[in-house]
């Protein structure tokens, strides 16, 4: 940059704001001119005054004509200044000015400077010492006063000071006094200082103009935004006076209230909100008191929630407000925003609820349950009772009636559980058909037992869903802290083990946890795992136990019984194996294998010996069952009449219509159906009357008590009599000695089955047995161990 360029930099920076974009610059120019014109009458008066003094002082030294001409020029210049001032006022202070106006002002300043510059240059050498001093004072004053008066138009001020300063410098140099050079230099320095001050002033003035313009721009923008906000947002703006009465009501606010903005003006905001308070639920009214106290505090606040009833509907508003204060800090009013947050609040509450509650039943969910249970971890000895529940046969019901029905059933179950527990208990659904109950505090085993019994009994009445009545039961596992677990996790695990045991014992029971169960539970898990591959590995076999006709003494059929030979554990207890298969959902595939093998084997037996196959509920409810069986009978060439299916009373858990339909289909195809383990389950005689059955199998428990319990003998007699009346066959199971056999014979029982006559045996052994057998054999005196019985060695 050139040296001149360097010198001009401060001037350029000072002038920068005045070179802003066109509309802004026009406004800036107007402000510049206005600032100068405001002082114009005064400065022009000073000009006239000074001119008069100069004229009077030099009237003898200078040609009067010249002097008058000069004075007239000054007067003319002052006049044009005044004229500009008058015009300016007449136009009521224009807000914009053209660049021409600015350059006219500069020219006017230059003219004045030249007129006054003549004075030192021409008159200084002429006057006496007093006149010179006076002249120096006037010119110095004119330089300073003019410079500052014109400061807002820097070009004018600089031109003016430069011309006049230079003229004074020359004038002082021209006089013949000892310190003329020093004096003139001093004046030049002053002039330069004035010019510097002008530039600095111009810079501040420019900065102020820019700041004002920015402020204005922001105000306009804010106004625009607010308008836009009021038109589009769901929020509404309001303003009140110090008494809380509305002084500004936005259109949106009026529409929210369903009233005209005008009718809301002057109304107290809090009063409008409180108006509907009596229709708001009692526990929610506190929100209003809180809102009022926040206004009373005089402090700004955010998002105060308050309920309002509009159109008979409770809406929630969020109010944000800020006090408006005067310069002394006193509150002169409030300004704020209201937002309808009903929807987001509802969503928020729903999310919160969902995080803790089960969507289907409304009970506590797994998360909530685990949170509660973790209290046991937090402190060392929190006494608590934990009940784990699992619905019996829920899976089959869900499968046969559909998921919607299952959901409905779970809701009924939840209601029953809530009805049998205390408000302070945690009743949770852990998922599927698993539930849990926590009761805090010291609970005695008797109280725990009482609660478990109450819950199990609550399911004695059938549950009704969509007009369909089904029976469902529940098994309960009980664990107590700190006895059965010091951590929530351990307590839950042990209650689960107890539940498992309860289910294994037979459904609809409860069990307390004991440490032996743990080992059994581990075994079950292991078995479940091992069972998965057992079918493909060929670990299953069937054993057959002959059933004897008491009248003829011949074998009328054989019951097929599943045997699982585990490669390492050996023969697994059949009941345990079936329970694991049922619970792990493997019974259907295993059951199909049993049917296939039993039908195939029976096809090789001499007619009319039948084969009896046990069916689990899950198999029975499959709609395809009948077709599958018929296909198997067809494939192996066994007449349908030589197959008997054994079902337990669990089929009564389902409602009768479906069960009846299934039974009729099977019997219609010629397949026989027997009711197994009669007397151990629900023993509903009413069902017996309506359901088409061929045979009742009297449970082993009755048979074994028949010889030494006269009441049992009476029950067996009644069962046989009833079966006869309903034209059903009877079969007594588990006959272990001749006395039992004789007693059953005497009561009129048709068929028998038991170790006394024949134990279950392998298919190959059975063929030999059937070939050699003629009639009921002599009783064996030797008792054999259970393992020996299960291996099915020939009798
Ligand atoms: P269940 O249907 O009541 O079968 C009779 C059970 O009594 C058999 O037990 C049999 O070995 C046993 N038993 C027979 N005579 C006597 C006796 O004189 N005294 C005693 N104490 N017991 C006798 P097992 O084979 O252990 O079968 C147990 C249960 O497992 C069966 O009871 C049946 O409910 C079930 N089960 C067996 N095989 C199958 C199958 O293929 N499918 C299904 N779903 N369940 C089966
Ligand atoms: Ca059976
Ligand atoms: Ca049985």
């Amino acid at each position: 940059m050139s040296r001149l360029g360097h010198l001009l930099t401060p001037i350029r920076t000072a002038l920068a704001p005045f070179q802003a974009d066109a509309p802004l610059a026009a406004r800036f120019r107007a402000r510049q001119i206005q600032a100068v014109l405001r002082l114009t009458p005064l400065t022009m008066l000073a000009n006239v005054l000074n001119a008069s003094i100069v004229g009077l002082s030099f009237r003898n030294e200078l040609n009067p004509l010249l002097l008058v001409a000069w004075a007239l020029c000054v007067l003319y210049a002052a006049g044009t200044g005044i004229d500009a001032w008058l015009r300016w006022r007449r136009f009521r202070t224009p807000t914009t000015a053209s660049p021409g106006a600015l350059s006219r002002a500069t020219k006017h300043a230059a003219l004045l400077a030249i007129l006054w510059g003549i004075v030192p240059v021409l008159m200084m050498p002429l006057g006496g010492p007093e006149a010179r001093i006076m002249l120096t004072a006037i010119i110095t004053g004119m330089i300073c006063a003019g410079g500052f008066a014109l400061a807002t138009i820097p070009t004018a001020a600089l031109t003016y000071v430069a011309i006049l300063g230079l003229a004074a410098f020359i004038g002082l140099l021209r006089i013949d006094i000892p310190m003329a050079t020093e004096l003139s230099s001093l004046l030049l320095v002053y002039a330069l200082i004035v010019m510097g001050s002008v530039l600095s002033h111009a810079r501040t003035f420019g900065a102020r103009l820019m700041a004002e313009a920015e402020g204005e721009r922001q105000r306009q923008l804010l106004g625009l935004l607010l308008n836009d906000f009021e038109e589009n947002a769901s929020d509404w703006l309001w303003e009140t006076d110090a008494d809380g009465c509305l002084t500004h009501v936005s259109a949106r606010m009026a529409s929210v209230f369903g009233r005209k903005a005008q009718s809301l003006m002057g109304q107290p905001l809090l009063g409008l909100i409180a108006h509907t308070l009596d229709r708001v639920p009692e526990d929610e009214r506190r929100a209003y008191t809180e809102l009022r106290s926040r206004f009373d505090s005089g402090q700004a606040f955010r998002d105060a929630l308050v309920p309002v009833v509009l159109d008979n509907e409770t809406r929630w508003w969020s109010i944000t407000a800020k006090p408006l204060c005067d310069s002394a800090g006193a509150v002169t009013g409030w300004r704020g925003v209201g937002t309808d947050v009903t929807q987001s609040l509802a969503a928020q509450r729903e999310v919160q609820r969902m995080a803790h509650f089960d969507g289907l039943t409304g009970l506590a969910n797994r998360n909530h349950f685990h949170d509660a249970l973790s209290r046991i971890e937090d402190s060392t000895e929190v006494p608590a009772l934990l009940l784990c529940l699992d619905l019996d046969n829920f899976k089959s019901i869900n499968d046969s009636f559909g998921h919607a029905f299952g959901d409905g059933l779970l809701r009924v179950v939840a209601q029953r559980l809530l009805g049998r527990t205390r408000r302070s208990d945690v009743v949770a659904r852990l998922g599927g058909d698993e539930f849990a109950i926590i009761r805090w505090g010291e609970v005695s085993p008797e109280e725990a037992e009482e609660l478990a019994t109450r819950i199990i009994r609550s399911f004695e009445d059938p549950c009704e869903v969509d007009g369909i009545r089904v029976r469902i039961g529940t098994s309960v596992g009980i664990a107590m802290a700190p006895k059965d677990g010091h951590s929530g996790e351990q307590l839950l695990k042990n209650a689960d083990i107890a539940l498992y045991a309860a289910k294994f014992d037979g459904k609809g029971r409860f069990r307390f946890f004991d440490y032996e169960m743990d080992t059994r539970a581990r075994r079950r898990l292991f078995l479940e795992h091992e069972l998965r591959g057992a079918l493909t590995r060929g670990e299953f076999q069937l054993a057959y136990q002959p059933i004897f006709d008491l009248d003829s003494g011949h074998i009328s059929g054989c019951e097929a019984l599943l045997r699982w030979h585990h490669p390492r554990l050996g023969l697994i207890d059949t009941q345990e194996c079936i329970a694991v298969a049922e619970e792990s959902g493997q019974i259907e595939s295993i059951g199909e294998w049993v049917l296939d093998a039993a039908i195939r084997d029976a096809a090789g037996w001499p007619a009319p010996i039948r084969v009896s196959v046990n069916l689990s509920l899950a198999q029975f409810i499959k709609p395809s069952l009948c077709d599958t069986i018929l296909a198997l009978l067809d494939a192996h060439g066994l007449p349908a009449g030589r197959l008997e299916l054994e079902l337990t009373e669990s089929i009564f858990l389902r409602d009768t219509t479906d069960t009846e339909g299934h039974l009729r289909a099977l019997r219609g195809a010629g397949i026989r159906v027997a009711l197994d383990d009669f007397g151990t389950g629900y023993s509903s005689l009413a069902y017996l009357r309506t359901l088409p059955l061929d045979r009742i199998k009297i449970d082993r428990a009755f048979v074994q008590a028949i010889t030494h319990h006269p009441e049992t003998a009476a029950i067996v007699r009644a069962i046989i009599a009833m079966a006869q009346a309903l034209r059903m066959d009877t079969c007594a199971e588990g006959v272990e000695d001749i006395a039992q056999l004789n007693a059953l014979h005497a009561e009129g029982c048709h068929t028998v089955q038991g170790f006394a006559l024949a134990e279950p045996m392998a298919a190959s052994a059975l063929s030999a047995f059937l070939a050699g057998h003629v009639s009921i054999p002599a009783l064996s005196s030797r008792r054999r161990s259970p393992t020996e019985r299960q291996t099915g060695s020939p009798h």
Side-chain angles (χ1 to χ4, degrees):
M1 205 188 277
S2 71
R3 196 172 274 165
L4 184 70
H6 264 303
L7 278 172
L8 290 177
T9 312
I11 303 178
R12 279 208 202 96
T13 9
L15 296 180
F18 311 108
Q19 274 136 21
D21 62 71
L24 209 56
R27 292 219 315 274
F28 285 2
R29 284 191 295 266
R31 295 287 304 276
Q32 289 174 274
I33 292 171
Q34 189 192 356
V36 170
L37 283 180
R38 219 176 318 133
L39 293 173
T40 298
L42 203 67
T43 49
M44 292 308 115
L45 186 68
N47 269 283
V48 174
L49 256 172
N50 287 343
S52 327
I53 296 170
V54 169
L56 282 175
S57 310
F58 286 84
R59 65 180 184 280
N60 301 323
E61 276 80 14
L62 209 69
N63 181 342
L65 223 67
L66 223 61
L67 202 62
V68 170
W70 175 82
L72 282 175
C73 285
V74 173
L75 213 61
Y76 168 74
T80 50
I82 294 291
D83 179 50
W85 175 72
L86 284 173
R87 260 186 294 140
W88 192 266
R89 283 187 42 130
R90 208 175 322 130
F91 288 116
R92 287 217 190 88
T93 325
T95 50
T96 56
S98 67
L102 221 54
S103 81
R104 270 200 302 280
T106 307
K107 279 178 196 153
H108 186 255
L111 173 71
L112 271 173
I114 291 167
L115 283 175
W116 282 100
I118 292 171
V119 175
V121 174
L122 290 183
M123 301 186 194
M124 196 67 93
L126 305 175
E130 298 86 11
R132 283 175 183 168
I133 291 171
M134 192 242 339
L135 211 58
T136 314
I138 286 177
I139 295 302
T140 315
M142 296 279 304
I143 289 175
C144 295
F148 284 109
L150 290 169
T152 54
I153 308 177
T155 44
L158 293 176
T159 315
Y160 174 86
V161 175
I163 293 173
L164 202 52
L166 199 69
F169 175 73
I170 297 168
L172 281 175
L173 272 185
R174 286 188 64 201
I175 54 170
D176 187 21
I177 52 165
M179 286 181 49
T181 324
E182 286 85 348
L183 262 177
S184 54
S185 307
L186 199 64
L187 197 98
L188 204 61
V189 169
Y190 287 160
L192 285 173
I193 290 173
V194 172
M195 284 168 83
S197 305
V198 163
L199 283 177
S200 148
H201 178 79
R203 209 178 300 132
T204 1
F205 183 68
R208 202 180 84 203
L209 287 184
M210 283 296 267
E212 278 178 17
E214 179 60 19
E216 176 62 19
R217 198 182 62 82
Q218 285 192 353
R219 246 193 315 283
Q220 284 181 3
L221 190 69
L222 197 69
L224 271 176
L225 285 177
L226 285 180
N227 280 345
D228 185 57
F229 171 83
E230 291 214 324
E231 272 165 32
N232 300 314
S234 62
D235 306 1
W236 33 272
L237 302 174
W238 52 266
E239 204 173 307
T240 70
D241 57 17
D243 298 327
C245 293
L246 289 165
T247 53
H248 169 85
V249 177
S250 62
R252 175 145 294 273
M253 180 178 184
S255 86
V256 162
F257 276 93
R259 289 171 60 172
K260 286 223 165 66
Q262 210 49 45
S263 78
L264 289 173
M265 288 294 274
Q267 299 268 353
L269 176 66
L270 278 175
L272 287 170
I273 293 173
H275 187 60
T276 62
L277 211 59
D278 53 338
R279 284 188 275 158
V280 168
E282 190 108 18
D283 54 332
E284 287 172 354
R285 288 186 201 164
R286 205 158 32 97
Y288 172 75
T289 338
E290 272 166 26
L291 177 68
R292 204 176 46 193
S293 67
R294 295 181 90 160
F295 272 110
D296 289 346
S297 75
Q299 302 283 320
F301 60 86
R302 290 193 67 82
D303 303 325
L305 292 178
V306 65
V308 184
V309 179
L310 292 170
D311 287 338
N312 289 326
E313 189 191 349
T314 307
R315 314 286 310 174
W316 280 87
W317 287 351
S318 161
I319 307 281
T320 293
K322 196 174 167 232
L324 303 170
C325 298
D326 60 14
S327 53
V331 176
T332 55
W334 289 82
R335 183 181 288 155
V337 191
T339 315
D340 191 317
V341 290
T342 318
Q343 259 175 4
S344 64
L345 208 65
Q348 209 178 325
R349 285 182 181 167
E350 182 59 17
V351 165
Q352 251 171 19
R353 206 185 59 75
M354 272 166 56
H356 286 275
F357 293 94
D358 173 46
L360 182 65
T361 59
L363 297 181
N365 65 8
R366 186 175 271 276
N367 285 346
H368 187 106
F369 171 77
H370 281 284
D371 278 355
L373 211 58
S374 64
R375 262 182 66 184
I376 300 175
E377 249 115 343
D378 295 337
S379 95
T380 38
E381 300 269 284
V382 177
L385 165 72
L386 175 62
L387 262 56
C388 276
L389 283 74
D390 190 293
L391 301 183
D392 300 329
N393 299 359
F394 178 76
K395 194 179 172 296
S396 341
I397 291 177
N398 208 33
D399 288 348
S400 54
F401 288 98
H403 292 285
F405 184 88
D407 286 353
L409 186 60
L410 289 173
R411 276 193 280 265
V412 175
V413 168
Q415 285 313 309
R416 293 210 178 167
L417 294 181
L418 287 174
R420 303 301 186 282
T421 45
R422 297 182 192 156
R423 270 181 81 98
S424 53
D425 295 340
V426 178
V427 183
R429 174 169 171 243
L430 305 185
D433 59 344
E434 290 170 45
F435 295 84
I437 296 165
I438 307 174
R439 177 166 291 181
W440 299 112
E442 212 67 65
V443 181
S444 67
E446 291 75 30
E447 195 186 326
E449 189 176 327
E450 197 260 335
L451 177 62
T453 316
R454 196 145 28 101
I455 286 168
I456 291 169
R457 289 230 180 101
S458 75
F459 291 102
E460 276 172 0
D461 292 333
C463 298
E464 188 170 328
V465 179
D466 301 333
I468 301 174
R469 287 154 68 87
V470 286
R471 273 174 191 281
I472 190 133
T474 183
S475 304
V476 182
I478 307 170
M480 293 162 100
K483 179 171 76 71
D484 301 329
H486 283 279
S487 72
E489 200 186 329
Q490 201 188 358
L491 194 70
L492 178 61
K493 188 185 138 235
N494 290 345
D496 249 344
I497 290 173
L499 172 63
Y500 232 71
K503 271 196 167 300
F504 191 70
D505 278 358
K507 297 166 177 184
R509 308 207 179 161
F510 69 84
R511 281 289 298 268
F512 279 93
F513 170 77
D514 67 55
Y515 280 91
E516 250 173 54
M517 285 177 177
D518 200 13
T519 347
R520 268 177 274 151
R522 270 186 245 273
R523 178 182 158 87
R524 282 195 61 104
L525 268 178
F526 175 71
L527 285 185
E528 184 181 327
H529 175 258
E530 291 297 293
L531 200 60
R532 301 229 174 260
L535 203 57
T536 43
R537 289 193 301 266
E539 292 170 10
F540 291 123
Q541 274 184 352
L542 286 182
Y544 293 98
Q545 186 178 34
I547 299 168
F548 294 84
D549 187 301
L550 271 183
D551 291 333
S552 68
H554 291 306
I555 295 173
S556 62
C558 293
E559 180 176 2
L561 296 161
L562 186 68
R563 295 293 177 260
W564 177 21
H565 292 271
H566 186 269
R568 268 182 295 125
L569 301 180
L571 189 69
I572 311 291
D573 178 77
T574 302
Q575 228 162 343
E576 190 179 16
C577 161
I578 296 292
V580 174
E582 279 178 347
E583 263 165 45
S584 59
Q586 301 178 63
I587 194 65
E588 286 165 53
S589 51
I590 296 174
E592 230 166 273
W593 177 87
V594 171
L595 274 166
D596 181 63
I599 292 171
R600 190 189 51 222
D601 287 347
W605 302 341
I609 297 178
R610 280 192 289 259
V611 65
S612 299
V613 178
N614 294 286
L615 279 197
S616 290
L617 180 66
Q619 291 175 272
F620 175 69
I621 60 173
K622 263 184 101 163
S624 58
L625 176 75
C626 197
D627 292 340
T628 311
I629 294 176
L630 287 177
L632 288 172
L633 289 171
D634 192 48
H636 297 301
L638 186 75
R642 285 179 61 195
L643 173 66
E644 184 168 88
L645 300 176
E646 295 192 3
L647 299 164
T648 62
E649 288 166 296
S650 64
I651 55 165
F652 296 148
L653 286 171
R654 294 160 44 80
D655 205 19
T656 39
T657 35
D658 241 29
T659 306
E660 214 180 310
H662 278 234
L663 288 178
R664 286 200 195 287
L666 290 168
R667 292 190 75 223
I671 300 161
R672 287 169 55 92
V673 181
L675 188 63
D676 208 353
D677 306 338
F678 186 79
T680 55
Y682 296 93
S683 310
S684 170
L685 298 181
Y687 285 124
L688 273 190
R689 208 157 37 80
T690 51
L691 292 181
L693 296 165
D694 297 284
R695 172 182 280 182
I696 291 175
K697 293 190 82 171
I698 304 165
D699 194 72
R700 197 165 69 221
F702 295 102
V703 172
Q704 284 168 2
I706 196 169
T707 44
H708 39 274
H709 276 117
E711 313 87 70
T712 310
I715 292 173
V716 171
R717 195 177 309 132
I719 295 173
I720 294 169
M722 181 190 63
Q724 270 165 354
L726 294 169
R727 281 196 279 283
M728 291 178 197
D729 210 339
T730 45
C731 175
E733 302 184 285
V735 182
E736 290 186 353
D737 59 41
I738 193 80
Q740 290 165 1
L741 191 67
N742 288 335
L744 289 162
H745 191 53
E747 297 299 350
C749 184
H750 303 112
T751 55
V752 286
Q753 178 184 1
F755 296 162
L757 302 155
E759 291 184 14
M761 59 194 86
S764 53
L766 181 76
S767 307
F769 186 85
L770 291 177
H773 173 78
V774 188
S775 65
I776 291 181
L779 288 172
S780 163
S781 55
R782 187 175 80 87
R783 285 209 151 269
R784 301 167 82 183
S785 71
T787 329
E788 270 179 305
R789 281 169 200 149
Q790 285 228 332
T791 50
S793 55
H795 194 64

